[in-house]
Amino acid sequence: MKYSIIKILPLFLGGFLFAQQSADSLQFKNISDEMLVNGTAYENLRDLTQNIGHRLSGSAAYEKATDWAVLKLKEAGADKVWKEEVMVPVWERGKESLQIKEGNGKWKSLRMLSLGNSEGTKGKDVEAEIVFVKNKEDFDKLPDAAIKGKIIFFNYAFNQKFISTGQAYGDAGKYRRSAASWAGKRGAKAVIIRSLSSAFDDVPHTGMMSYDKDDTAKIAAVAIGPKSADELEKTLKTQKVFAKLNSNATMKGDKLTYSVIGEITGKKDQSVIVVGGHLDSCDVGEGAQDDGAGIVQSIEVLRTFKKLGINNNHTIRVVCFANEENGVRGGNQYAANIKKNNEKHIFAIESDGGGFTPRGFGLVMSPEKRQQVQSWRNLFLPYGVHNFEVQYAGTDIEPMEPLGVPLAELIPDSQRYFEIHHSDEDTFDKVNRRELLLGAAAMGQLIYMVDKNW
Amino acid sequence: MKYSIIKILPLFLGGFLFAQQSADSLQFKNISDEMLVNGTAYENLRDLTQNIGHRLSGSAAYEKATDWAVLKLKEAGADKVWKEEVMVPVWERGKESLQIKEGNGKWKSLRMLSLGNSEGTKGKDVEAEIVFVKNKEDFDKLPDAAIKGKIIFFNYAFNQKFISTGQAYGDAGKYRRSAASWAGKRGAKAVIIRSLSSAFDDVPHTGMMSYDKDDTAKIAAVAIGPKSADELEKTLKTQKVFAKLNSNATMKGDKLTYSVIGEITGKKDQSVIVVGGHLDSCDVGEGAQDDGAGIVQSIEVLRTFKKLGINNNHTIRVVCFANEENGVRGGNQYAANIKKNNEKHIFAIESDGGGFTPRGFGLVMSPEKRQQVQSWRNLFLPYGVHNFEVQYAGTDIEPMEPLGVPLAELIPDSQRYFEIHHSDEDTFDKVNRRELLLGAAAMGQLIYMVDKNW
């Protein structure tokens, strides 16, 4: 008898769990089918990227994008849509140029981009000899005399050995963020960095840099493409090269703008699940993969929950954050507001790695919650979503971590992202419809499980 | 004492296995690093696709490609390179056109491609009313009178719901392969099919069809793009549409050509591990993803084993198969030859799903061998290679299955393949360098394990 009970109990429980899994996997398929067949994310992205284009926060294009987001959230069926005030820094690029010449040779123009938030040369030509260093260690070894009055060229290459290109980006990131500060402190006139790019082309990539608070000189900082960087390094090994840099880049103070928010109300309570991306982009390209993709995917999740009539227990809220690219003010403001208003959030997920085929989720939450999410792995495997090991969540939702909100980030395939990221190449044609929608499906599926179980 | 032994033994074994895993994972990293940093596959593919281009077997371009493959295998360090005779069918497209008109309207040209191996209209205009069917079931319901003398239009769409696009391709495949035979038997003049494409553009896709042996009429068979197909279906719902088709496509009998083979000799014995793809392509585009990618990846594996000085126990042989696209004569001939010569093969792996990020391997082998490969999963996970469940191996190596050779197929991410496959869009620019090389690395890693353990 005892033996029988032992045998039957697991069978009964197994049957119950199996039925549960089946109901969930059916809903997973409903979400995926609806998006792959009727999804509007791809056409929404076409509209955002081709009719508005790049949209640095503070620009007129960004203002248009906020109206666009309000419209698209309403079209998707949001019960409520609003704009949330955010003060953002306004940075403007203006005209810019970089020329180089060998010894007494002719000036030759290089493709270049001033780095985001950098101060330029106030429209004046800054001319100096270029000093090459491979990395920070080499720079630190240089005597002050070799730096003062010079333009320092950091040619630290993207490390191709990393399988996740995000790791290579992280590895090289300090050169973009800090090189101007390192060199400015020691009397350099400007810095040139090799773009943070996995490609071998000549496309320059911009992105945010910052000066240290104690920097007395805010020197100009520009990026050149990998090909130009390698050629320049080669030339500098045999002869002197001079640069003439002119950049009107400058920071113009703060401006009031908005993050855009839309939600479908929770049927059981009003605690919130956030799904989002950032509505702003760099001021080049079309901001398609970074992060138009995350915006249209988030709206797609809301549309699909509404269309399928999924009775979400909790409020599902799309947040289109302002100013991720050069300040993260939208993310910080959102966290400050929910703290102030004591608004309970049970989960937040972000997509800011591009609309490529989804591979998994980064998870920043308690070990118990993480284990629970990992226990749902089998539901995700048929969708190719297999990696639940990464412990990272996106820039815009990170400010909610201290509030104890469990966080996740969609992890898409990373191989193509950093070829186009922050450059003129980040355009709509780089996005694949099915890859984009599968990313949205994975987020929708995870939100479905969280909504049901938390 | 007994207790101690029980405790120590697993520890000892565990330590041994761990050391083993570590040595293997180090070699996995060596292979990946070498390819990602020094790999020549991408530049080889640029050369093949841009200097030779598409290369249907039997064409002059294919002959050039065989010389190219000999050269590249030698450059990669093969100990021995040769050509293997294969008789291939020669099919030529010639001039072709498709026009349609509504009622008494004007003729309008549609983008189209005759299907591979189809007979055209001998250069004559074939004009008839178009009869639309959605699928085979609808076609079967039509009375003969509705088919005889007509041009039958099958608009069976690629099913977007499948996560693996290969399944959607398989699902829709019979329309390309067999529609001409179905319709020809019942007196139709020609067939038009919707291209087997996951895209929503107007690109037509070709690919092999065949007539049944008992077909008395070999009617023309052409494909149109998804957009034209949907527009045509819509028009046909309200009015009659006529088509004027002209195709010079024809089969010209057999010709002697070659598969190309290169190998590095086994250090322990001469039993063979095959790694390959197909050197031929359809007669459109550049044959970049299908299957230039598989060819350059296979050569990359050989190059890397040689460069790293991996002491391969068994002979590692690259086979660049002839005629996968319209006959599989290269694959059949290879299997026939190794059977005739009683040449022992311990493993064969093929890449013919494009040079996209690798996701796993299809495995066609005994349950014991499959389990052993699956037990290596943890070594592959850091490379994003996670799927070992698929039981399918490629077209060119399948003829070795009856000989008992364990088979595998590289499974790359499938989302973008069928947008460009067999069309003018399958060009070099659709291939990403890192994705291509990671696929080669995964194959090299699996071959390393098989070579060491089998």
Side-chain angles (χ1 to χ4, degrees):
Chain A
M1 186 66 191
K2 212 176 168 184
Y3 177 71
S4 300
I5 288 175
I6 288 171
K7 270 184 72 185
I8 289 167
L9 197 64
L11 270 174
F12 177 77
L13 273 175
F16 176 75
L17 287 173
F18 181 77
Q20 211 35 49
Q21 284 270 46
S22 293
D24 289 339
S25 66
L26 197 65
Q27 198 60 286
F28 270 50
K29 182 155 167 52
N30 289 340
I31 290 169
S32 173
D33 285 357
E34 170 58 26
M35 290 187 184
L36 287 172
V37 175
N38 301 317
T40 59
Y42 188 65
E43 289 308 316
N44 280 348
L45 186 61
R46 187 197 301 275
D47 189 28
L48 175 64
T49 54
Q50 301 194 335
N51 294 329
I52 298 179
H54 65 68
R55 48 197 179 279
L56 190 66
S57 60
S59 68
Y62 182 78
E63 297 307 304
K64 274 192 206 170
T66 61
D67 293 337
W68 176 92
V70 167
L71 179 70
K72 291 296 160 185
L73 282 161
K74 286 181 181 167
E75 280 178 13
D79 298 325
K80 206 176 140 193
V81 180
W82 69 99
K83 291 181 174 184
E84 175 169 277
E85 292 191 351
V86 185
M87 290 300 291
V88 300
V90 179
W91 179 78
E92 284 179 8
R93 177 176 301 281
K95 280 181 81 172
E96 56 188 4
S97 65
L98 174 63
Q99 295 172 284
I100 58 167
K101 70 168 181 178
E102 303 167 13
N104 294 318
K106 278 188 189 168
W107 287 108
K108 186 183 106 181
S109 285
L110 293 190
R111 283 188 69 178
M112 56 80 82
L113 285 172
S114 294
L115 296 181
N117 286 3
S118 70
E119 293 296 325
T121 64
K122 316 279 175 215
K124 287 174 192 153
D125 283 349
V126 166
E127 203 174 317
E129 188 187 339
I130 299 176
V131 171
F132 156 72
V133 289
K134 197 76 198 169
N135 52 39
K136 177 68 156 59
E137 292 66 42
D138 287 357
F139 174 76
D140 288 342
K141 281 178 206 151
L142 286 182
D144 285 345
I147 294 170
K148 201 172 157 63
K150 302 294 198 307
I151 292 177
I152 312 299
F153 165 47
F154 290 86
N155 192 20
Y156 186 82
F158 208 82
N159 187 342
Q160 296 287 341
K161 292 182 182 178
F162 287 109
I163 303 304
S164 160
T165 59
Q167 285 183 270
Y169 180 68
D171 172 64
K174 65 182 175 188
Y175 293 94
R176 191 188 74 202
R177 285 195 307 275
S178 307
S181 193
W182 302 334
K185 281 187 172 55
R186 297 183 64 192
K189 278 186 168 174
V191 292
I192 301 170
I193 67 153
R194 180 196 185 97
S195 291
L196 271 55
S197 168
S198 59
F200 294 88
D201 56 20
D202 204 35
V203 176
H205 297 234
T206 183
M208 184 162 68
M209 57 78 68
S210 63
Y211 299 102
D212 287 349
K213 276 183 189 152
D214 63 347
D215 284 343
T216 47
K218 293 186 173 180
I219 65 171
V222 305
I224 58 176
K227 209 173 145 199
S228 282
D230 285 337
E231 282 167 8
L232 183 55
E233 174 177 334
K234 203 175 153 195
T235 308
L236 281 162
K237 282 183 173 162
T238 59
Q239 56 203 293
K240 287 193 173 184
V241 182
F242 298 87
K244 191 194 287 181
L245 175 65
N246 194 315
S247 164
N248 287 279
T250 192
M251 192 66 93
K252 298 211 157 178
D254 286 3
K255 181 184 166 181
L256 176 67
T257 186
Y258 307 92
S259 294
V260 180
I261 301 176
E263 66 185 28
I264 42 180
T265 315
K267 309 300 178 284
K268 202 185 80 183
D269 65 46
Q270 263 81 74
S271 61
V272 177
I273 292 173
V274 163
V275 55
H278 62 87
L279 187 56
D280 64 308
S281 75
C282 281
D283 66 329
V284 292
E286 297 173 355
Q289 293 284 17
D290 183 17
D291 183 30
I295 291 295
V296 298
Q297 285 173 326
S298 299
I299 296 172
E300 182 70 29
V301 169
L302 187 148
R303 187 196 70 78
T304 297
F305 270 67
K306 196 81 183 183
K307 171 83 178 288
L308 295 178
I310 296 175
N311 276 318
N312 48 300
N313 291 325
H314 312 283
T315 292
I316 295 174
R317 178 182 291 175
V318 174
V319 186
C320 307
F321 293 98
N323 186 236
E324 191 272 347
E325 289 297 354
N326 66 329
V328 200
R329 300 274 185 92
N332 284 310
Q333 187 65 59
Y334 185 81
N337 290 357
I338 68 169
K339 189 181 176 184
K340 195 179 71 185
N341 301 328
N342 205 14
E343 199 177 20
K344 193 183 172 196
H345 278 56
I346 64 161
F347 181 54
I349 180 167
E350 177 170 354
S351 165
D352 188 18
F356 305 97
T357 308
R359 304 294 301 258
F361 297 103
L363 303 172
V364 174
M365 51 187 67
S366 69
E368 295 73 27
K369 284 225 155 23
R370 165 191 300 279
Q371 271 178 17
Q372 192 181 7
V373 173
Q374 289 171 335
S375 77
W376 302 332
R377 189 192 303 257
N378 282 346
L379 287 163
F380 285 99
L381 287 180
Y383 301 88
V385 173
H386 62 96
N387 182 352
F388 295 80
E389 315 310 320
V390 177
Q391 300 194 26
Y392 170 79
T395 311
D396 286 310
I397 58 176
E398 255 179 1
M400 286 186 260
E401 193 185 348
L403 309 180
V405 181
L407 307 178
E409 166 115 2
L410 179 68
I411 302 185
D413 192 280
S414 72
Q415 300 311 319
R416 284 134 61 211
Y417 194 48
F418 291 104
E419 291 194 345
I420 60 168
H421 176 255
H422 293 181
S423 83
D424 275 329
E425 297 296 314
D426 185 4
T427 48
F428 178 68
D429 58 304
K430 306 303 190 307
V431 181
N432 175 275
R433 178 183 171 277
R434 287 183 54 89
E435 292 184 352
L436 179 75
L437 289 165
L438 285 171
M443 290 210 292
Q445 290 161 340
L446 182 55
I447 288 169
Y448 163 76
M449 290 301 285
V450 164
D451 178 63
K452 199 177 139 178
N453 292 287
W454 288 5
Chain B
M1 186 65 193
K2 210 175 168 185
Y3 177 71
S4 301
I5 287 175
I6 289 169
K7 272 184 72 185
I8 289 167
L9 196 66
L11 271 175
F12 176 76
L13 273 175
F16 175 76
L17 287 174
F18 181 76
Q20 210 37 48
Q21 283 272 42
S22 293
D24 288 339
S25 67
L26 197 65
Q27 197 62 284
F28 270 50
K29 183 156 166 51
N30 290 338
I31 290 169
S32 174
D33 284 357
E34 169 59 27
M35 290 186 184
L36 287 171
V37 175
N38 301 316
T40 59
Y42 187 65
E43 289 308 316
N44 280 347
L45 187 62
R46 188 197 300 274
D47 189 27
L48 175 64
T49 53
Q50 300 195 334
N51 294 327
I52 298 180
H54 64 68
R55 47 197 180 278
L56 190 66
S57 60
S59 68
Y62 183 77
E63 297 307 304
K64 275 192 207 170
T66 62
D67 293 337
W68 176 92
V70 167
L71 178 71
K72 291 297 160 185
L73 282 161
K74 285 180 180 167
E75 280 178 13
D79 298 325
K80 207 176 141 194
V81 181
W82 69 98
K83 291 181 174 182
E84 175 169 277
E85 292 190 351
V86 185
M87 291 299 293
V88 300
V90 178
W91 178 80
E92 284 178 10
R93 177 176 303 280
K95 282 181 77 172
E96 56 187 5
S97 65
L98 174 63
Q99 294 172 286
I100 58 168
K101 70 168 182 178
E102 301 168 15
N104 294 318
K106 277 190 191 168
W107 287 108
K108 184 183 108 181
S109 285
L110 293 190
R111 281 187 71 179
M112 55 79 84
L113 285 172
S114 295
L115 296 181
N117 287 4
S118 71
E119 293 296 326
T121 65
K122 315 284 177 210
K124 287 174 192 153
D125 283 349
V126 166
E127 204 175 316
E129 188 187 339
I130 300 177
V131 171
F132 156 72
V133 289
K134 197 78 196 169
N135 52 37
K136 177 68 157 61
E137 293 66 43
D138 288 356
F139 174 76
D140 288 342
K141 281 178 206 150
L142 286 182
D144 285 346
I147 295 171
K148 201 171 156 61
K150 302 295 197 310
I151 292 177
I152 312 299
F153 165 47
F154 291 87
N155 192 21
Y156 186 82
F158 209 81
N159 187 340
Q160 295 287 341
K161 293 182 182 177
F162 287 110
I163 303 305
S164 161
T165 59
Q167 285 183 270
Y169 180 68
D171 172 62
K174 63 182 175 188
Y175 293 94
R176 192 189 73 204
R177 283 196 309 276
S178 307
S181 192
W182 302 334
K185 280 186 174 54
R186 297 185 63 192
K189 279 187 168 174
V191 292
I192 300 170
I193 67 153
R194 180 196 184 96
S195 291
L196 271 56
S197 169
S198 59
F200 293 87
D201 56 21
D202 203 35
V203 176
H205 297 234
T206 183
M208 185 163 69
M209 57 77 69
S210 63
Y211 299 102
D212 287 347
K213 276 182 191 153
D214 64 346
D215 283 345
T216 47
K218 293 185 173 180
I219 66 171
V222 306
I224 58 175
K227 208 173 146 200
S228 283
D230 285 337
E231 282 167 8
L232 182 55
E233 174 177 333
K234 202 175 155 196
T235 309
L236 280 162
K237 282 183 175 161
T238 59
Q239 56 204 295
K240 286 194 175 186
V241 182
F242 298 87
K244 192 194 288 180
L245 175 64
N246 194 316
S247 163
N248 286 279
T250 191
M251 192 66 91
K252 298 212 157 181
D254 286 3
K255 181 184 167 181
L256 177 67
T257 186
Y258 308 92
S259 293
V260 179
I261 302 176
E263 67 183 28
I264 42 178
T265 315
K267 309 302 180 283
K268 202 186 79 184
D269 65 46
Q270 263 82 72
S271 61
V272 177
I273 292 172
V274 163
V275 53
H278 62 86
L279 187 56
D280 65 306
S281 76
C282 281
D283 66 329
V284 293
E286 297 173 355
Q289 293 284 17
D290 183 18
D291 181 32
I295 291 295
V296 299
Q297 286 173 325
S298 299
I299 296 172
E300 183 71 29
V301 169
L302 187 149
R303 187 195 72 77
T304 298
F305 270 66
K306 196 81 183 183
K307 171 84 177 288
L308 295 178
I310 296 175
N311 277 317
N312 49 300
N313 292 324
H314 311 282
T315 292
I316 294 174
R317 179 182 291 174
V318 174
V319 185
C320 307
F321 292 97
N323 185 234
E324 191 271 345
E325 290 296 354
N326 65 328
V328 201
R329 300 275 185 92
N332 283 311
Q333 187 66 58
Y334 185 81
N337 289 357
I338 67 169
K339 189 182 176 186
K340 194 178 72 184
N341 302 327
N342 203 14
E343 200 178 20
K344 192 181 173 196
H345 278 55
I346 65 162
F347 181 54
I349 180 167
E350 178 170 353
S351 164
D352 188 18
F356 305 97
T357 307
R359 305 294 301 259
F361 297 103
L363 304 171
V364 175
M365 52 187 66
S366 68
E368 296 72 27
K369 285 226 155 20
R370 164 191 301 279
Q371 272 179 18
Q372 192 182 7
V373 173
Q374 288 171 336
S375 77
W376 301 332
R377 189 191 304 257
N378 282 347
L379 287 163
F380 285 99
L381 287 180
Y383 300 88
V385 174
H386 62 98
N387 182 353
F388 295 80
E389 315 310 320
V390 178
Q391 300 193 26
Y392 169 79
T395 311
D396 286 311
I397 58 175
E398 255 180 2
M400 287 187 260
E401 193 185 350
L403 308 179
V405 181
L407 306 177
E409 166 115 2
L410 179 69
I411 302 186
D413 192 281
S414 74
Q415 300 311 320
R416 285 135 62 212
Y417 194 48
F418 292 104
E419 291 193 346
I420 60 169
H421 177 254
H422 294 181
S423 83
D424 275 330
E425 297 296 313
D426 184 4
T427 48
F428 178 67
D429 57 303
K430 305 304 189 309
V431 180
N432 175 275
R433 179 183 170 278
R434 286 182 55 87
E435 292 184 352
L436 179 75
L437 289 165
L438 286 171
M443 290 211 292
Q445 290 162 339
L446 182 55
I447 288 170
Y448 163 76
M449 291 302 284
V450 164
D451 178 64
K452 199 177 139 181
N453 292 286
W454 288 5

